[in-house]
Amino acid sequence: SHGNKEVFSCRGILLAVQWFWDRGHKDITVFVPSWRKEQPRADVLITDQHILRDLEKKKIVVFTPSRRVGGKRVVCYDDRFIVRLAHESDGVVVSNDTYRDLQNERPEWKRFIEERLLMYSFVNDK
């Protein structure tokens, strides 16, 4: 949302990570589809990709699998990665996704998502 739904803003990810770092949280994982590492296209804009590489080196960004089959991109269902890790590590999910489908998948995830989902808004760079 930092890119106003016009571009994928890697800087927005860094701002969010920094916000948590500044408050003493050090165990931070950001899941990003691996195709975000590719050269941006005119219809899929992405800014400051170097930030993703820097955060990957620091073991903060984890790229979820994707591949091309018959010229089409096939991506994994990364929501499951997010909820599973947060649940197993007793963490918090920072997302505006309600994960409604995953709430119905596992009873323990339903309660976890209800109690540990932190929704957010950007106001410029805050």
Side-chain angles (χ1 to χ4, degrees):
S1 67
H2 182 259
N4 292 322
K5 298 183 181 181
E6 295 170 9
V7 299
F8 182 83
S9 170
C10 299
R11 188 163 184 274
I13 291 173
L14 180 60
L15 289 169
V17 167
Q18 190 66 52
W19 192 90
F20 285 96
W21 269 342
D22 291 348
R23 284 151 184 80
H25 301 282
K26 301 301 178 203
D27 186 10
I28 299 170
T29 303
V30 177
F31 288 100
V32 176
S34 62
W35 62 267
R36 293 287 187 187
K37 292 192 279 188
E38 296 172 7
Q39 185 68 30
R41 299 185 334 230
D43 61 330
V44 185
L45 298 174
I46 182 169
T47 57
D48 300 315
Q49 280 179 302
H50 68 279
I51 291 171
L52 293 182
R53 290 187 294 277
D54 293 346
L55 290 174
E56 181 183 29
K57 287 176 188 168
K58 294 177 181 174
K59 300 189 183 304
I60 292 169
V61 163
V62 174
F63 289 100
T64 57
S66 68
R67 59 193 170 111
R68 288 210 173 267
V69 177
K72 292 191 177 192
R73 182 181 295 127
V74 177
V75 297
C76 73
Y77 186 55
D78 55 0
D79 289 0
R80 195 169 282 112
F81 283 90
I82 295 165
V83 172
R84 179 175 288 136
L85 177 64
H87 182 259
E88 290 174 357
S89 62
D90 198 30
V92 172
V93 175
V94 179
S95 177
N96 288 334
D97 188 331
T98 60
Y99 302 99
R100 206 171 305 276
D101 54 333
L102 292 178
Q103 289 186 43
N104 296 325
E105 189 172 299
R106 294 189 179 186
E108 65 271 22
W109 285 2
K110 178 176 175 43
R111 183 165 173 250
F112 179 80
I113 292 166
E114 288 172 348
E115 295 175 1
R116 296 293 189 102
L117 177 61
L118 177 62
M119 299 179 111
Y120 66 91
S121 293
F122 274 102
V123 178
N124 298 316
D125 285 345
K126 295 181 190 234

